[in-house]
Amino acid sequence: MSKTSSKSSGSSPKATPKPWEHAQGGVGSASDELAVRFVESLSYDRRLSKHDIAGSVAHARMLAKVGLISKDELGQIEKGLGAIRAEIERDGDAWAGWKLELEDVHMCIEAALIEKVGDAGRKLHTGRSRNDQVALDLKLWVHEAIGNLGPMFGKLFGAFVELAGRDGEIVMPSYTHLQRAQPIVVGGELIAWLEAFDRAWRRFGALWEVNKENPLGGGAAAGSGLPLDRGVTAESLPVGPPTGSSLDATASRDAALDMLYGLAMTAMTLSRWAEQWILYASWEFGFIKLDGRYTTGSSMMPQKQNPDMLELIRGRCGNVYGNLVALLTICKGLPIGYNRDLQEDKRQLFAAYDLVMDCLDMAGRIVATAKFQGERIAHGLERGFLDATSLAEYLVTRGVPFRTAHQVVGSLVHECQTRGVESLAKLPPEVFTTTCKAKGLDAKVIGPDMAQWLGAEQVVRRYQTLGNAGVEGYRREIKRWRERLAR
Ligand code: ARG
């Protein structure tokens, strides 16, 4: 959606008096040129038009049901709104009904309806205020946005699962403190990202459960003396039962805030993953090769292949945090009841959503085309004593208390380092027995099967705990993911 400037509305801002301004005899009231531009939200809330019309149709049907408008009037309203919807779909930003001086999407659509159907249109706003109207529109938008996030997450999940299918059993180091820790398989790490992104996705379902109540019928602040049936509107819309407080429903933006938090958590996860892969794509790691479609060159250094898309994913996370903190700050000083500050919610929400959707899309494409560099990873795999913990666990199976086993292996690692030996498996056998004896252990704790607990390739086949990042854990989880994605 392109931005609307004050000039884009065709007529001069002051030309159309606001249809709802009467208290001052129709003059004053934000008719100053700057005030017109200052107060408007049309430039960004017109993307709520579909939701606004859906809410209006539900409201009109309810008005007819309780006898506040006739069947015939309902028919006119529905027909008028249907035509307006089609016009907006056709004309987009160029729709003739967008008039900046009418402030927002709600007033533009209502004015267009009145122009089309006259008095029936004038009845639509019975018992309603823009305050409950916009609160509803926003929830309907959140509902749809969550629906749109689903396939985007789905593509990313699918890309990770396919990458696992290609490179999942390559053995690689895991890191803690960014220091080599224990050996894992590539698939084990991919499962880790799948879990993190899945949690990000499921958070949206949870936030909808908390926020789904229908605010429509709340009116401006206190409710209405007319016999509106809020249950009826709730039933015909993809929202929950009516909210219990009109004051709260029109004054709170928790749905937008929770959504922003969900988006911020998604952005944070994307950013962490991007950082990981930026490291892996470096010459120093050399673990991963990114597809050329998602890297860029340097204007000066001819050899460069930079992971700019990943860097932008990492960087744009900052914008989303900004959107969340902005809306939290906008809301923090607001007394109960609607305040115009709330209008700023949409700027933050839409910006964060658009950005996260783009980043998820990009992430899915990068994952789908990435390759782990098996040979390069294998090259230095026995560096860093990745099997040290495994050796300590071997000693535990031989009856050695873990703390003692930890000391023994610590000494053995030290021995490797002083002798310039690269890995535990390459230490002369007698060093194992003398080290055990030095710790007061029987040399028999070292059995002939010890060798099976050494070396990254063997260690990743030994893990048996639930959720392990070795071969067994990875295979179990990827099966579950494949089944899930097939559904
Ligand atoms: N454009 C406004 C918003 O986004 C709609 C509600 C206006 N309410 C009012 N009392 N002026 O919040």
Side-chain angles (χ1 to χ4, degrees):
M1 278 263 154
S2 73
K3 289 261 148 61
T4 312
S5 77
S6 55
K7 292 177 202 111
S8 73
S9 59
S11 56
S12 125
K14 275 190 246 176
T16 319
K18 296 183 187 192
W20 66 98
E21 303 279 4
H22 308 293
Q24 299 178 62
V27 292
S29 202
S31 58
D32 172 87
E33 217 181 318
L34 176 59
V36 170
R37 192 159 54 75
F38 205 82
V39 80
E40 67 88 21
S41 52
L42 183 61
S43 51
Y44 50 94
D45 71 11
R46 60 174 70 177
R47 70 192 272 177
L48 293 174
S49 62
K50 222 173 49 177
H51 314 89
D52 195 70
I53 289 171
S56 287
V57 168
H59 185 67
R61 286 183 186 158
M62 181 277 292
L63 291 177
K65 191 158 182 194
V66 301
L68 284 165
I69 61 173
S70 70
K71 257 199 166 153
D72 176 56
E73 286 165 332
L74 170 63
Q76 293 180 49
I77 290 172
E78 285 189 316
K79 203 167 157 228
L81 287 174
I84 289 170
R85 191 187 154 128
E87 284 170 19
I88 294 173
E89 266 167 24
R90 188 192 61 208
D91 300 343
D93 284 357
W95 182 52
W98 299 133
K99 293 177 179 145
L100 207 69
E101 62 277 18
L102 295 183
E103 296 187 0
D104 53 34
V105 63
H106 323 291
M107 299 317 294
C108 286
I109 291 176
E110 189 192 297
L113 180 70
I114 291 170
E115 208 170 290
K116 277 192 198 306
V117 304
D119 271 351
R122 286 191 187 87
K123 291 189 178 181
L124 174 62
H125 214 51
T126 307
R128 189 174 70 165
S129 154
R130 275 187 290 168
N131 301 348
D132 58 337
Q133 195 176 352
V134 72
L136 171 71
D137 290 3
L138 207 66
K139 284 197 183 184
L140 294 177
W141 181 88
V142 163
H143 182 258
E144 185 184 271
I146 292 173
N148 295 338
L149 280 160
M152 216 47 117
F153 272 101
K155 269 194 215 159
L156 181 59
F157 296 156
F160 272 119
V161 169
E162 275 176 31
L163 176 57
R166 296 195 297 275
D167 297 337
E169 304 223 351
I170 294 173
V171 180
M172 68 180 281
S174 69
Y175 294 82
T176 65
H177 314 265
L178 211 51
Q179 303 287 319
R180 289 197 159 199
Q182 293 172 282
I184 57 171
V185 289
V186 163
E189 187 166 299
L190 299 180
I191 294 288
W193 291 119
L194 276 166
E195 283 252 331
F197 282 114
D198 186 37
R199 217 164 36 245
W201 161 236
R202 286 185 291 129
R203 193 167 284 116
F204 290 102
L207 75 85
W208 178 249
E209 281 310 304
V210 175
N211 288 293
K212 68 182 179 187
E213 279 86 10
N214 180 25
L216 191 61
S224 167
L226 297 168
L228 309 180
D229 186 341
R230 299 187 56 205
V232 170
T233 40
E235 269 164 34
S236 65
L237 292 166
V239 289
T243 51
S245 161
S246 300
L247 271 176
D248 170 58
T250 49
S252 304
R253 287 295 177 270
D254 295 16
L257 284 163
D258 284 350
M259 188 71 182
L260 276 168
Y261 177 69
L263 292 168
M265 287 297 285
T266 305
M268 185 272 285
T269 310
L270 281 165
S271 181
R272 291 184 57 208
W273 160 77
E275 165 67 5
Q276 183 96 46
W277 278 28
I278 289 166
L279 287 174
Y280 283 176
S282 69
W283 189 88
E284 281 68 19
F285 272 89
F287 283 8
I288 215 165
K289 180 99 180 101
L290 301 171
D291 190 281
R293 275 170 289 179
Y294 307 113
T295 58
T296 59
S298 152
S299 61
M300 181 170 171
M301 298 170 281
Q303 84 285 13
K304 294 282 271 177
Q305 208 199 347
N306 294 324
D308 298 46
M309 308 306 140
L310 289 171
E311 292 169 280
L312 287 167
I313 289 174
R314 183 178 60 186
R316 284 177 185 165
C317 175
N319 298 47
V320 182
Y321 285 8
N323 297 132
L324 171 62
V325 173
L327 188 56
L328 281 168
T329 312
I330 287 164
C331 289
K332 88 173 181 55
L334 296 184
I336 204 79
Y338 176 84
N339 297 277
R340 196 63 178 253
D341 319 43
L342 292 173
Q343 175 166 291
E344 296 295 306
D345 58 355
K346 288 168 283 295
R347 264 187 228 278
Q348 309 304 329
L349 187 57
F350 296 163
Y353 167 78
D354 290 344
L355 211 140
V356 169
M357 283 290 274
D358 257 6
C359 289
L360 280 171
D361 193 356
M362 180 53 75
R365 290 165 198 239
I366 293 172
V367 174
T369 52
K371 286 188 181 71
F372 274 83
Q373 306 287 85
E375 267 177 45
R376 181 76 195 270
I377 297 171
H379 183 64
L381 193 60
E382 296 309 330
R383 297 272 167 85
F385 308 101
L386 293 167
D387 51 3
T389 308
S390 176
L391 179 57
E393 290 186 347
Y394 168 71
L395 293 173
V396 167
T397 69
R398 307 286 292 177
V400 179
F402 179 76
R403 191 47 64 216
T404 311
H406 187 281
Q407 286 173 356
V408 169
V409 180
S411 304
L412 289 168
V413 168
H414 184 68
E415 200 62 38
C416 287
Q417 284 163 336
T418 45
R419 288 166 184 247
V421 171
E422 197 179 276
S423 65
L424 288 162
K426 287 187 180 153
L427 267 182
E430 66 274 12
V431 181
F432 287 88
T433 43
T434 50
T435 307
C436 283
K437 278 192 203 147
K439 297 287 172 197
L441 296 172
D442 190 327
K444 281 204 220 97
V445 297
I446 305 291
D449 54 343
M450 182 190 74
Q452 293 163 24
W453 293 68
L454 292 176
E457 287 282 350
Q458 296 198 101
V459 174
V460 294
R461 287 175 167 75
R462 299 211 79 92
Y463 300 136
Q464 51 177 316
T465 47
L466 196 74
N468 74 74
V471 173
E472 190 273 337
Y474 154 65
R475 284 184 186 161
R476 178 159 22 87
E477 283 304 301
I478 203 70
K479 185 165 171 277
R480 210 175 56 79
W481 270 98
R482 286 209 176 94
E483 284 162 8
R484 173 173 158 185
L485 294 183
R487 282 198 296 274

